[in-house]
Amino acid sequence: MLNTLGYFCLCLLASLAVACGSSAADESEVLISLTDTVIVPGYEATAAASSELRETLEDLCTSPTDASLNTAQQAWRDARAPVMRSEATWFGPFVDRRSEGLMAWPQTDPERIEAMLVNNPATTEDDVRNGLASTQRGLGAIEYLLFAPDALDLLSDSSASRCGYLIALGLLIESEANSVLETWTKGEDGDVPYSGYFTGRASSSLITTQAVAELVRTQVFLTRTLVDMHLAAALGLREGGPDLSAIPGGDGFNALDDLRNEVLGLRDMYVGAGGDDGLGISDIVKGLSAETDERMRESFENSLKAIDAVEGPLRVAVSERPEQVQAVYDRLRELQVTLNTEVVSLLGVSVGFSDTDGDSMR
């Protein structure tokens, strides 16, 4: 028989083993893994796709044919995918540089674009960067030009200003994508690379808890945009009835793909690259609450399944098959509530009440 001391030692060892087995991952390791396997590769993909888009726009304007227009339209979709998937990483340099307003502002103003083309055409990268509003720049403006019913005729028959503007838009997106990437990997104006500052690998670095909070707050804000500002408004779950204009995008009808890529980007940050191959926020959460982590993972899978079940363009589905879009809303709402209440609480992240109110739309 074990004496009292021996029994106590065995119990202590068992307790330590359980504690160690359920401990949260080191936050610094999670930050490094996400930076090296999700964030930087995402900006690399954006830069590469932006360069390809710019080249196809130049080819289109050199030889405007059905084939070159179709190629440019596909390049636009290919460029939009990594931009939307990286939205869950829009903090730090992306915010400081105000890159969203240069690359991917959600609204486009066709009337201002047409007035500009008539009165004072912007045909250089500098014209677009410094002389136009966010609603006249980025992928949204390119979509307006490429997917108009008479796009080919306009590009073929109009003055050089329309093609000059289109190419300038492509140059600006390519330039900005490369600048954001370089700020993360090489630094800007003599500063250390943001990847080093963010992960603690530089001599002057962000405090680890602040970096984790930055990650989580970005997820909170993005889910609020998708659930409350887009889907709830479009479905009429807010005051004023259904509002199809809450679904971003134009005649490219890419909103459903955008939504899927945004959710995939959220999952990338939570789970990590390739699931078990990289660390993510999940590795911190599951050490604090396995139940919360399981709910988050299930919510991601359920949300993606619901998105894949939607037929046709998202704006059309809202009108003709609202039950499919309602299912997407319901699944993303479950994700939002778990993130905004349980994950935020477990990680001690401070955000505004309106951002974490899980019942604000009920």
Side-chain angles (χ1 to χ4, degrees):
M1 294 181 62
L2 292 171
N3 59 30
T4 303
L5 179 59
Y7 181 78
F8 172 79
C9 290
L10 283 177
C11 289
L12 178 60
L13 289 172
S15 299
L16 288 173
V18 171
C20 290
S22 62
S23 62
D26 180 83
E27 291 182 345
S28 296
E29 293 178 356
V30 170
L31 293 173
I32 290 171
S33 180
L34 282 175
T35 297
D36 293 348
T37 65
V38 176
I39 299 174
V40 169
Y43 285 125
E44 289 173 339
T46 296
S50 298
S51 294
E52 182 66 25
L53 173 61
R54 187 263 307 159
E55 291 176 4
T56 65
L57 297 178
E58 292 176 347
D59 292 342
L60 170 62
C61 284
T62 299
S63 177
T65 65
D66 287 332
S68 61
L69 177 61
N70 290 337
T71 298
Q73 290 174 339
Q74 185 58 51
W76 176 84
R77 292 190 176 94
D78 293 342
R80 194 163 181 86
V83 171
M84 293 296 99
R85 190 156 180 167
S86 70
E87 190 170 352
T89 70
W90 286 3
F91 54 83
F94 199 90
V95 172
D96 293 343
R97 296 182 56 86
R98 301 183 179 180
S99 300
E100 182 181 9
L102 300 172
M103 298 175 62
W105 196 249
Q107 291 85 34
T108 302
D109 191 336
E111 291 185 3
R112 292 187 70 179
I113 288 174
E114 293 296 341
M116 173 273 297
L117 287 170
V118 171
N119 298 318
N120 188 23
T123 57
T124 69
E125 179 187 338
D126 186 66
D127 290 339
V128 176
R129 180 185 289 274
N130 298 311
L132 299 184
S134 298
T135 55
Q136 298 167 285
R137 296 187 297 222
L139 291 167
I142 292 176
E143 178 183 18
Y144 170 71
L145 297 174
L146 287 184
F147 290 90
D150 53 353
L152 195 59
D153 291 338
L154 289 170
L155 291 169
S156 301
D157 300 336
S158 66
S159 67
S161 63
R162 202 171 193 90
C163 261
Y165 172 49
L166 182 61
I167 293 172
L169 288 167
L171 285 168
L172 176 58
I173 292 173
E174 178 186 34
S175 172
E176 189 61 23
N178 280 299
S179 293
V180 173
L181 175 61
E182 289 179 4
T183 304
W184 270 93
T185 58
K186 299 178 182 179
E188 186 178 43
D189 298 329
D191 292 337
V192 299
Y194 193 80
S195 59
Y197 171 77
F198 184 69
T199 59
R201 289 179 287 190
S203 56
S204 175
S205 299
L206 194 62
I207 297 172
T208 299
T209 54
Q210 293 178 338
V212 171
E214 188 76 20
L215 292 181
V216 176
R217 276 194 291 264
T218 303
Q219 319 311 301
V220 168
F221 299 148
L222 179 52
T223 55
R224 181 184 62 178
T225 297
L226 300 181
V227 175
D228 298 343
M229 298 177 66
H230 293 173
L231 294 177
L235 287 165
L237 304 179
R238 307 174 71 174
E239 293 182 4
D243 178 12
L244 293 182
S245 68
I247 301 297
D251 290 339
F253 295 108
N254 211 65
L256 191 60
D257 285 338
D258 286 351
L259 178 59
R260 190 174 198 280
N261 279 308
E262 287 165 321
V263 175
L264 285 172
L266 285 165
R267 189 182 67 173
D268 290 341
M269 295 298 285
Y270 187 77
V271 178
D276 295 332
D277 295 334
L279 299 176
I281 298 170
S282 166
D283 293 280
I284 304 173
V285 171
K286 67 185 176 184
L288 302 171
S289 172
E291 293 80 5
T292 296
D293 180 60
E294 185 63 26
R295 273 193 290 274
M296 285 292 293
R297 288 172 174 267
E298 288 181 357
S299 291
F300 278 119
E301 297 312 310
N302 292 338
S303 296
L304 290 168
K305 288 178 182 177
I307 291 170
D308 290 341
V310 176
E311 302 171 53
L314 185 55
R315 192 176 289 116
V316 174
V318 170
S319 297
E320 299 181 2
R321 294 171 292 279
E323 71 284 353
Q324 295 180 352
V325 183
Q326 180 70 47
V328 176
Y329 169 84
D330 290 341
R331 302 292 81 76
L332 283 175
R333 183 65 179 167
E334 293 168 358
L335 173 66
Q336 181 188 31
V337 170
T338 305
L339 172 65
N340 289 5
T341 55
E342 297 181 41
V343 173
V344 163
S345 177
L346 286 168
L347 301 183
V349 175
S350 175
V351 291
F353 177 79
S354 61
D355 302 321
T356 58
D357 180 11
D359 296 319
S360 59
M361 295 299 299
R362 295 298 184 186

